Amino acid sequence: MDNITEIAFQIILYAGNGKSSAMEAIQEAKEGNFEEADRLIEEAGAELGKAHGYQTKLLQEEASGEGTSVNVILVHSQDHLMTSMTVRDLAIEIIEIYRLK
């Protein structure tokens, strides 16, 4: 497996973890467990931060002229990361709605 594919899989892994934590946070808020919901949102942010770190590494390599060819797995990892970040952002808003209910 080449380096770009390995990085893509790391992005997919951490983005998936982040999205899962954000979805769990919504369920906890729905049940009124706001302390746990907040903890899970923090966890989601940390996991997404790891994925973003791998993405940043790719961007820096590209900017320095060391870019590599793009493959479908890398494109998928970018889609997965951006979707997961959106889920986390929306989860924060949904939790606030439940908190104010």
Side-chain angles (χ1 to χ4, degrees):
M1 187 176 345
D2 64 352
N3 186 47
I4 195 86
T5 302
E6 288 179 30
I7 290 172
F9 280 127
Q10 291 299 312
I11 292 170
I12 291 166
L13 168 72
Y14 290 119
N17 289 347
K19 184 171 75 173
S20 293
S21 292
M23 294 302 293
E24 287 178 43
I26 293 170
Q27 292 306 310
E28 291 296 333
K30 189 176 185 179
E31 295 175 16
N33 301 325
F34 297 109
E35 190 172 306
E36 181 65 6
D38 293 339
R39 186 193 70 74
L40 286 163
I41 286 295
E42 289 294 321
E43 185 176 287
E47 291 295 300
L48 291 171
K50 292 174 189 174
H52 190 262
Y54 280 101
Q55 181 189 49
T56 299
K57 180 181 180 202
L58 290 175
L59 292 170
Q60 289 171 337
E61 287 174 2
E62 182 76 23
S64 69
E66 300 173 22
T68 58
S69 62
V70 175
N71 63 35
V72 175
I73 295 171
L74 179 61
V75 172
H76 174 67
S77 75
Q78 296 303 293
D79 288 343
H80 200 61
L81 176 56
M82 300 317 298
T83 301
S84 297
M85 292 173 85
T86 301
V87 167
R88 191 263 329 261
D89 293 345
L90 289 172
I92 290 168
E93 296 302 319
I94 291 167
I95 291 166
E96 284 307 304
I97 290 169
Y98 279 121
R99 196 184 313 267
L100 297 172
K101 187 176 164 184

